[in-house]
Amino acid sequence: MGIDSIPTEVLDLIFDCLEKEKPDKMNRYRHLGAAVRPESLRNARLVCRQWNALATKHLFRTIALMHNGNDKAFDTWKQIVNSPAVQQAAREAEVYSVRPPPCSYYRELERDYETWCSWDSGDWPEFVTAIQGLGNLPNLRAVNIRFTEGCEGVEKSGYREEIVETFSTRMHTIENVFKAIQRRKSRANQVITPITSLTIENLQNMPFTEFLETGLFRSVIEDITELRLLVAQEDHDDGPDYDLYYDERFTFEPWLQEEFLPCFASRLTSLNITFGECWGVVPGYFDGKGLHFPNLKTLILGEYVIGHHDQFDWVPAQTTLETLCLNRCMIVSYLEYASDDIEKWDDLTTHDWKFVADRGRGWTLHKFDGAWEVVFDAIRTRLPSLVQFRMEHTKLNDVAGRGLRSVDDMDCCLSAKRYVRFSSGTISPWQESDSDGHMDIELGGEDEAEYSGVNRAMETQEGDMRAFKELVQAVEERARRRL
C-alpha cells in the first residue's frame, strides 16, 4: 500500500498520536501547547498538501499567547489568530501573563518595564488587543489563563527575589479574557462553539467577590462545565513562616467553598482543584459543606489535607462521580501551634484534635487520629458509579509534582507519606514524613520511646491497605462491567 492510499481517517489518528507525544521530561514547560509541540508533527507538514492540512489541524489545536514585556511579541499571536487554517484548528487557547521561564523574567522585562508596570492599573492596549484575538477562533472550546507563582498579598512580605505579579494585574488579565469570551459569544451571523473549559493556573488566594457579582462573570461561566484551578499564595523563605498569618491564608478557602464554587456547581462535570501549599485544614478551612455538584463526573484534588473526621464527607456526597483522583492528598496526624495562633487565625477549627503535650511558652502539640481506612471505605461504599480511582504522592522536586494533573498521567498506589504533620513555628509548616512514613516528633514524657518519633503510616498500614485494595478492586470490577 502506497502512502497515498492510507485513508484520511487513519492518518488523522496517526497525527493525533504525534500530537500527544510527550516532550523531554526535564522540560518544565512541556505544558505550553503549541509552543513546544513535537518536532515530528511539524515535519509531517512538509510531506505533502494532504499531510500539511492534517498536521496543521493537530499542530494548532492548542495555541498560546505569550509575551516578554515587549509589544512586538504580540505580532506573532495576531498572525496566528488571523490565519484561516488556525481559526479552524484551534480548540484550546492559553494566555500567559508573563513569558516563562522565571530565570529570564528580569532580563526580558527590563526591555519595556514601564509598559509592564502600567498593567497594574489596567493600561496596556496592545495586550488587551491581543487578548481580544480570542474572538477570531470560532471552534475554541477551552481557555487557560496562566499567571506566575510569585504573589504579593495585602501585607506584603518585603523584598522578593522572584518576579511578583500583583493581584490587580491578575484581575485585569482575567477581566479582559472574560470580556473577549463574552464578545465572542455575542457575534452575530457566525457559528461559534461555546467555551466550556476554564483553567486558571496560579490564581492568587485572594477573594474577588465584586467580580463574581458582575454580569460579565455570570455570562461567561454559564457555559463552563470543566473547571481547573491551581491556587498560589504569597510566601517567603525567612522563617518562621509568618505568611501563615496573612488574612488571605484563612479567608480564601471559606470564600472558595461558600461563594466561588457555588457559582459553577450546577453545570460542572469536571473539577480540578490544586494548591501550591497544603490546604483544607489550617489556617484556612475547607470541608465542602453545602457544595452540591449534581452533574459532576470527575474530581481531582491536589495537596488537599484532611484534619477532621467529617471534612472529606463532601466528596462521597457527590454520588454522580465516576472518576476521583487524589494527588499528594494527606491526613494530618500531629499539629503543633501556639495559643496566639488561634486568635490570629480567627476561629481556627480544632474539633477532633486531642491534646498530646505542652511545649511551653503557649505552644501545644495535638493529634488527629483519622485514618485513610475510613476514607477509602467511604469512597467505595458511597460512590456507586466510580469506575476510575487514582492516588499518587509525587516528590516535591518532581516536575509533575505540584501542578494540575490529569487522570491519564496519574498512578494508583498507597504511599507511606500519606500522613503529614503541621508546625506553625517552622519555616515550612507542613512537614512530610520520611519515605518509610517516619515522623520525627518528640511526644514528651519520661519514656524514651516517646522521643523516637512516630510512624502513623505503619500504625494504620493493615487497615489502610485492606480498604485501599478493596476500593481499587471494586472500582476495577465496575469498570469491567461497564465495558
Side-chain angles (χ1 to χ4, degrees), residues 354-385:
K354 300 177 181 179
F355 174 83
V356 175
D358 188 345
R359 298 299 201 196
R361 298 184 179 181
W363 286 83
T364 53
L365 177 67
H366 299 260
K367 179 180 180 180
F368 171 58
D369 60 4
W372 278 105
E373 176 182 10
V374 177
V375 176
F376 293 148
D377 283 341
I379 295 173
R380 175 175 55 84
T381 58
R382 297 175 58 188
L383 292 176
S385 300

Side-chain angles (χ1 to χ4, degrees), residues 31-48:
H31 61 281
L32 298 187
V36 290
R37 193 64 69 203
E39 191 65 25
S40 53
L41 191 57
R42 291 194 177 102
N43 291 336
R45 299 180 64 196
L46 306 177
V47 175
C48 62

Side-chain angles (χ1 to χ4, degrees), residues 368-411:
F368 171 58
D369 60 4
W372 278 105
E373 176 182 10
V374 177
V375 176
F376 293 148
D377 283 341
I379 295 173
R380 175 175 55 84
T381 58
R382 297 175 58 188
L383 292 176
S385 300
L386 199 68
V387 292
Q388 282 196 101
F389 175 72
R390 301 285 187 274
M391 184 172 182
E392 194 174 68
H393 199 104
T394 51
K395 297 179 181 178
L396 282 178
N397 59 357
D398 191 333
V399 171
R402 288 182 176 173
L404 291 169
R405 307 291 302 282
S406 66
V407 179
D408 296 335
D409 62 6
M410 283 188 64
D411 294 324

Side-chain angles (χ1 to χ4, degrees), residues 83-240:
S83 164
V86 174
Q87 290 175 358
Q88 292 302 312
R91 298 295 187 273
E92 181 175 358
E94 301 181 341
V95 179
Y96 288 81
S97 57
V98 175
R99 180 193 178 197
C103 61
S104 67
Y105 284 169
Y106 286 119
R107 182 175 64 255
E108 299 291 353
L109 292 178
E110 284 175 356
R111 293 162 59 180
D112 199 354
Y113 186 69
E114 291 184 0
T115 301
W116 169 251
C117 290
S118 69
W119 189 232
D120 190 57
S121 59
D123 184 20
W124 198 343
E126 293 79 4
F127 188 28
V128 173
T129 301
I131 292 175
Q132 291 173 351
L134 295 174
N136 295 348
L137 309 172
N139 298 317
L140 203 62
R141 296 192 178 102
V143 171
N144 306 337
I145 306 173
R146 304 188 188 276
F147 299 110
T148 60
E149 296 179 2
C151 295
E152 186 175 75
V154 177
E155 286 92 345
K156 300 182 182 180
S157 61
Y159 174 75
R160 305 290 297 279
E161 292 185 356
E162 78 274 24
I163 280 293
V164 172
E165 190 170 8
T166 64
F167 180 70
S168 60
T169 64
R170 296 169 193 261
M171 288 307 302
H172 289 317
T173 300
I174 291 176
E175 289 176 10
N176 279 280
V177 170
F178 274 50
K179 287 178 181 178
I181 296 174
Q182 186 185 53
R183 292 193 189 99
R184 179 180 177 274
K185 290 178 60 176
S186 62
R187 284 198 170 188
N189 301 323
Q190 186 175 4
V191 178
I192 295 177
T193 61
I195 292 176
T196 58
S197 176
L198 175 64
T199 298
I200 306 180
E201 185 172 303
N202 291 320
L203 173 70
Q204 188 170 351
N205 64 334
M206 294 182 67
F208 44 94
T209 299
E210 290 185 3
F211 184 59
L212 302 187
E213 298 172 348
T214 63
L216 172 62
F217 178 79
R218 292 192 294 269
S219 171
V220 171
I221 69 166
E222 66 182 8
D223 296 322
I224 301 300
T225 60
E226 178 181 345
L227 179 64
R228 303 167 73 239
L229 301 175
L230 175 60
V231 180
Q233 64 284 315
E234 181 180 10
D235 65 291
H236 56 85
D237 295 329
D238 297 330

